[in-house]
Amino acid sequence: MSIYMMEFGVTMIGTFFIGMLAAWIGVQWAIGGTAVWLVLMLVYLMTCTELVRLD
Amino acid sequence: MPHHIRLIAWNIRVGGGRCIELITDQLLGEPASPRNSLLVASRWPVRIHPTGAAPTEPNRWILANIQTPIPFALGAMHVRNRITAPRPYFMLLAGFVEEVLGVSKSQLGSLISIQNVGSLGGSLFIASMPARDRRTMMLYSSLLLGVALIFFAASTNYWLTAGILIVVGLGQSGRMSLGNVLVQSYSEDSYRGP
């Protein structure tokens, strides 16, 4: 539960770095790149972790 | 003999649901204020502690002396919630709209509204689904969000972006709602507040 609540603060730190990335490579590549990363992480979570046992 | 004091903080607007009017009427004897404000209720006598500098928004700040056997001062402050549902892409939406789509601020507002239509649809769907396969739904909602964000990033057309944002809203609401449900379901009662 505490880690879940921590997400709200940590995400803002991530947003800061995504903002820096957007300034560097452009907002489209920043969002697209992190979206690809999200999809890759999800594929990993769906295939290789205990998350599949939850219901 | 030690004295135990239990402090409970409650956001009535978030936790009161449809009973907000009844709750505030019971507590205050008057309808709910449309503005955010603080209420300190105590079994022990409470005295407002004078502050040196007057706050600009006095309804958001209370410093009180609680007259328990061992008196103590209680400070309460309402801080506006600016981080609910933090979404990096949402934070970048204003820049994206200006830099990539080249549309006005009013159209930015329209995009946000359109996305919220998707979120509303997703939330209604989640609320109506049976309590099974929630893990699968959460993962596929997140996958839908990720794929939709890839298309969102690639889109340079306003109306196409608007359509994609409906799908983004669907995925976002599914991810957040089901994530919250699963965390609450798998947490011990003692970790879910009083």
Side-chain angles (χ1 to χ4, degrees):
Chain A
M1 179 67 82
S2 58
I3 290 172
Y4 176 73
M5 294 310 294
M6 194 173 70
E7 177 201 348
F8 293 97
V10 172
T11 308
M12 297 308 286
I13 298 173
T15 303
F16 171 70
F17 289 109
I18 299 299
M20 288 176 66
L21 193 64
W24 184 34
I25 60 173
V27 66
Q28 277 184 291
W29 282 105
I31 295 176
T34 48
V36 169
W37 179 247
L38 172 64
V39 171
L40 293 176
M41 285 298 295
L42 278 164
V43 171
Y44 169 73
L45 289 171
M46 292 166 83
T47 54
C48 305
T49 69
E50 291 187 353
L51 205 62
V52 294
R53 295 181 195 163
L54 294 177
D55 188 23
Chain B
M1 179 181 172
H3 295 278
H4 297 282
I5 299 169
R6 191 176 197 189
L7 293 173
I8 299 172
W10 185 28
N11 186 335
I12 295 176
R13 279 194 163 176
V14 174
R18 287 183 294 181
C19 299
I20 292 172
E21 295 284 338
L22 295 172
I23 294 166
T24 53
D25 192 44
Q26 285 280 317
L27 288 172
L28 306 173
E30 59 187 54
S33 165
R35 302 177 61 186
N36 284 310
S37 52
L38 290 164
L39 168 72
V40 174
S42 169
R43 290 182 177 175
W44 301 89
V46 179
R47 293 180 62 187
I48 298 298
H49 189 90
T51 53
T56 54
E57 294 182 85
N59 57 314
R60 295 182 188 276
W61 168 256
I62 289 178
L63 187 59
N65 292 317
I66 314 295
Q67 305 297 312
T68 52
I70 303 175
F72 69 99
L74 174 73
M77 181 169 64
H78 172 261
V79 180
R80 286 193 181 98
N81 185 356
R82 297 188 189 279
I83 61 168
T84 295
R87 296 159 289 183
Y89 77 89
F90 189 79
M91 297 290 185
L92 296 173
L93 189 58
F96 186 90
V97 163
E98 184 181 352
E99 188 179 313
V100 180
L101 302 180
V103 295
S104 65
K105 290 174 182 170
S106 63
Q107 286 171 301
L108 166 64
S110 301
L111 283 179
I112 294 171
S113 301
I114 288 168
Q115 186 205 332
N116 287 331
V117 170
S119 298
L120 180 64
S123 299
L124 290 173
F125 175 73
I126 298 297
S128 61
M129 66 178 279
R132 60 184 168 83
D133 294 330
R134 294 177 296 189
R135 178 266 312 171
T136 310
M137 285 299 297
M138 186 190 76
L139 290 174
Y140 279 107
S141 296
S142 304
L143 196 61
L144 180 69
L145 173 65
V147 173
L149 281 176
I150 292 172
F151 283 100
F152 169 76
S155 170
T156 55
N157 179 278
Y158 175 78
W159 291 108
L160 181 60
T161 302
I164 292 169
L165 277 177
I166 292 178
V167 183
V168 169
L170 279 169
Q172 183 72 20
S173 63
R175 181 193 74 83
M176 292 200 65
S177 306
L178 288 168
N180 202 2
V181 165
L182 287 170
V183 167
Q184 297 287 347
S185 300
Y186 282 87
S187 297
E188 299 287 339
D189 288 345
S190 55
Y191 293 105
R192 286 188 283 183

